[in-house]
Amino acid sequence: MTPKPAADPNAPSLNPLARKLAIYDTLTDREIARLAEAIGGYRDVAAGEDIVGVDQRTVFSTVILEGWAARYKLLPNGRRQITALHIPGDFVDLHSFLLHVMDQGVTALSHCHVAQVPHEALRKITDSEPHLTRLLWMSTLTDGALHREWLAAMGQMPTAAQAAHLVCELYLRLDAVDLVSNAGFAFPMTQVELADTLGVSTVHLNRTVQELRAMKLITWSGGRLTVLDFPRLAKLGQFDPTYLHQRREPR
Amino acid sequence: MTPKPAADPNAPSLNPLARKLAIYDTLTDREIARLAEAIGGYRDVAAGEDIVGVDQRTVFSTVILEGWAARYKLLPNGRRQITALHIPGDFVDLHSFLLHVMDQGVTALSHCHVAQVPHEALRKITDSEPHLTRLLWMSTLTDGALHREWLAAMGQMPTAAQAAHLVCELYLRLDAVDLVSNAGFAFPMTQVELADTLGVSTVHLNRTVQELRAMKLITWSGGRLTVLDFPRLAKLGQFDPTYLHQRREPR
DNA sequence: CGACATATTGATCGACTTCAAGTGTAGTGG
DNA sequence: CCACTACACTTGAAGTCGATCAATATGTCG
């Protein structure tokens, strides 16, 4: 109940977008207000439905308030690669603000409640709020950092390690937005989707999951995943959280 | 404001950085001048040397004027994944402006002549040049688009297709900065480095290269790679240039 | 209860890795 | 000019990982 000072990223009243940006740097009240004003509308998307289509020219970007989503690319050969997983607070397509054309689609992995931010509003922010602009830019940079880390994991680690790495990453990202409880979290993905994320077949993914279970590193059932031994999981996944850049400092 | 005469991206006098940004949108003369002013110094880096070290806190970002570089991650298991290839005009670590800590290193693949841009100068640009800021932001967004494309190629395509895809990408990127001649370009990578890029062993890469040669899609010797049949190469690599976003339009 | 998606298991095959050796090719010094 | 070195490239053989095909649970929801 303190009057106004810096945004407390753990304040439950904070909208998810401001809370996410506050992971990286302190926001002023004015900036929080500017973010709130920028929201043009809300929408609900059913699981399995596209939030943004591929090749689409967009006039707004979308933030997830509740639910999970995935960026994906469909290849001409019919296969699908999921290139990013998005949780509440994430901008699923902030990059479309400047790229204009979506090179990949975004689909809802679970029921999603989202907010839409018109590109016109983003442009105004970039014209008048340099610091907020840098934080928005930063949020796309962390996306890139995750992509690079995924590339390294996919190219150089066996599937079990790659899966362990992903679980560690999700754990910390979800924890940063208070979605971890009792060392676990709601995990709405199917094994098919997870296989498309790691770039392996479902059959092989299934065996990999069972391996992790047998090693007593995780449990996963009924849409909930629990980490039983984070240190060992991190070791198997060669996980170093540096790339998440979850540090609040002047940007 | 009446727009100043547009920068001709093909003007050979244009510095490589401005030429790169001019791929995405027209630059005003003032913006070109601001970019030139931002350069704090020049440096030469020998092949095999690091341009930026991992875990390093940086106070400037580096643009390549001549030569090739690679972002890479060394894993605890001793393996290496190259996550990005950089050619003249590319900012190899613009992301460090806001991320501060390098989560991956950057090494020179060939002798490199580079320019250094102090983060202080970038900050001034973000404070006073919204349009230029958006273009710099954009250049990090295209990096991200490449990462996502690489993820899809690595996860869902056989090695030969993945290699074909990469060659197509490099061809168009190099062409955009006028480094393609006679359907070929100087290609200073070793097979070991290329294997680390595609996430396969050198042995397998070598056989893959021979496959592409046998199919009469490319020649590669003496540090020069020539594309013999772009359409067939693009088809094999399921290559669609959309993700390069090489279109000049208002951003 | 049937209908349908999701998860699990088995068997077979091919892609890719590893280990190991051999073949250029360019540079250095006698 | 040749010997020597260093490095990149090429090839072979054996073995492993992961894909594919196919079938059988298990669950969930109308």
Side-chain angles (χ1 to χ4, degrees):
Chain A
M1 314 322 165
T2 31
K4 73 154 239 169
D8 174 0
N10 293 320
S13 62
L14 217 53
N15 72 69
L17 175 52
R19 176 185 296 197
K20 162 85 181 281
L21 294 184
I23 293 172
Y24 306 121
D25 192 3
T26 306
L27 296 175
T28 66
D29 287 344
R30 191 192 69 241
E31 288 170 335
I32 294 171
R34 294 299 305 269
L35 284 173
E37 288 161 25
I39 293 176
Y42 299 89
R43 195 160 77 96
D44 281 90
V45 185
E49 230 179 80
D50 266 12
I51 296 179
V52 198
V54 69
D55 289 335
Q56 194 175 307
R57 279 191 91 88
T58 56
V59 296
F60 53 78
S61 289
T62 300
V63 183
I64 302 186
L65 303 178
E66 285 173 46
W68 286 48
R71 292 193 217 172
Y72 67 95
K73 169 164 173 118
L74 284 175
L75 287 92
N77 63 10
R79 305 182 56 136
R80 176 178 71 162
Q81 176 68 42
I82 288 176
T83 57
L85 296 176
H86 290 297
I87 61 174
D90 288 356
F91 252 116
V92 302
D93 63 342
L94 182 50
H95 52 291
S96 76
F97 165 48
L98 294 174
L99 296 182
H100 298 170
V101 178
M102 287 297 286
D103 46 73
Q104 301 192 344
V106 181
T107 188
L109 294 171
S110 65
H111 175 93
C112 282
H113 183 56
V114 305
Q116 297 179 329
V117 180
H119 287 171
E120 193 45 43
L122 289 170
R123 168 177 280 261
K124 279 187 191 140
I125 287 177
T126 62
D127 281 337
S128 59
E129 297 281 347
H131 177 248
L132 196 48
T133 300
R134 287 195 294 269
L135 289 187
L136 289 168
W137 183 354
M138 164 100 187
S139 98
T140 64
L141 292 178
T142 58
D143 283 358
L146 298 205
H147 290 146
R148 290 192 290 278
E149 196 73 14
W150 284 27
L151 274 168
M154 188 179 285
Q156 307 299 336
M157 293 177 7
T159 310
Q162 196 190 346
H165 186 99
L166 179 61
V167 171
C168 289
E169 174 188 308
L170 289 172
Y171 189 94
L172 292 192
R173 286 170 61 195
L174 289 162
D175 192 40
V177 290
D178 269 327
L179 289 172
V180 168
S181 58
N182 298 322
F185 49 85
F187 186 56
M189 295 183 75
T190 66
Q191 293 196 356
V192 176
E193 288 158 349
L194 193 51
D196 283 350
T197 306
L198 302 183
V200 299
S201 69
T202 38
V203 173
H204 188 57
L205 176 83
N206 179 273
R207 293 184 172 122
T208 302
V209 169
Q210 292 174 53
E211 229 181 291
L212 295 181
R213 293 204 262 240
M215 288 191 273
K216 303 225 181 296
L217 295 175
I218 62 162
T219 62
W220 175 23
S221 70
R224 187 173 170 84
L225 193 154
T226 303
V227 174
L228 300 178
D229 189 336
F230 193 94
R232 272 176 60 227
L233 195 67
K235 189 175 177 201
L236 172 63
Q238 304 184 67
F239 181 78
D240 171 352
T242 305
Y243 74 100
L244 294 173
H245 299 280
Q246 292 177 334
R247 274 178 64 121
R248 202 166 333 135
E249 53 188 46
R251 314 250 180 204
Chain B
M1 328 286 138
T2 22
K4 296 279 187 111
D8 176 358
N10 294 320
S13 62
L14 215 52
N15 72 70
L17 174 52
R19 174 185 295 197
K20 163 86 181 283
L21 294 184
I23 294 171
Y24 306 120
D25 191 5
T26 306
L27 295 176
T28 65
D29 288 343
R30 191 193 67 241
E31 288 170 334
I32 293 171
R34 293 301 304 269
L35 284 174
E37 288 161 25
I39 292 176
Y42 299 90
R43 196 158 77 94
D44 281 272
V45 185
E49 231 179 80
D50 267 13
I51 296 179
V52 198
V54 69
D55 290 335
Q56 195 174 308
R57 280 190 92 88
T58 56
V59 295
F60 52 79
S61 288
T62 299
V63 183
I64 301 187
L65 303 178
E66 285 174 46
W68 286 48
R71 292 193 217 174
Y72 67 95
K73 170 165 172 115
L74 285 175
L75 288 91
N77 64 11
R79 304 180 58 134
R80 175 178 70 163
Q81 176 67 42
I82 288 176
T83 56
L85 295 176
H86 290 298
I87 61 173
D90 288 357
F91 252 117
V92 301
D93 62 342
L94 182 50
H95 51 292
S96 75
F97 166 47
L98 294 174
L99 297 182
H100 298 170
V101 178
M102 287 297 286
D103 45 73
Q104 301 192 344
V106 181
T107 188
L109 294 171
S110 65
H111 175 93
C112 282
H113 183 55
V114 304
Q116 297 179 329
V117 180
H119 288 171
E120 194 45 43
L122 291 170
R123 169 177 280 259
K124 279 187 191 139
I125 288 177
T126 62
D127 280 338
S128 59
E129 297 282 345
H131 177 248
L132 196 47
T133 300
R134 287 195 294 270
L135 288 188
L136 289 169
W137 182 355
M138 165 101 187
S139 98
T140 65
L141 292 178
T142 57
D143 283 358
L146 298 204
H147 290 146
R148 290 192 290 279
E149 197 74 13
W150 284 28
L151 273 169
M154 189 179 283
Q156 306 299 337
M157 294 177 4
T159 310
Q162 195 190 347
H165 186 99
L166 179 61
V167 171
C168 290
E169 175 188 307
L170 289 173
Y171 189 95
L172 292 192
R173 286 171 60 195
L174 288 162
D175 192 40
V177 290
D178 269 328
L179 289 173
V180 168
S181 59
N182 298 322
F185 49 84
F187 186 55
M189 294 183 76
T190 66
Q191 292 196 355
V192 175
E193 288 158 349
L194 193 50
D196 283 351
T197 306
L198 302 183
V200 299
S201 69
T202 39
V203 173
H204 188 56
L205 176 82
N206 180 272
R207 291 181 174 127
T208 303
V209 170
Q210 293 174 54
E211 229 183 289
L212 295 181
R213 292 202 264 241
M215 287 190 274
K216 303 229 182 292
L217 295 175
I218 63 163
T219 62
W220 174 23
S221 69
R224 187 173 170 85
L225 193 154
T226 303
V227 174
L228 300 177
D229 189 337
F230 193 94
R232 273 176 59 228
L233 195 67
K235 189 174 177 203
L236 172 63
Q238 303 183 68
F239 181 78
D240 171 353
T242 305
Y243 74 99
L244 294 174
H245 299 279
Q246 293 177 334
R247 275 178 64 121
R248 203 167 332 138
E249 52 189 43
R251 313 258 179 197

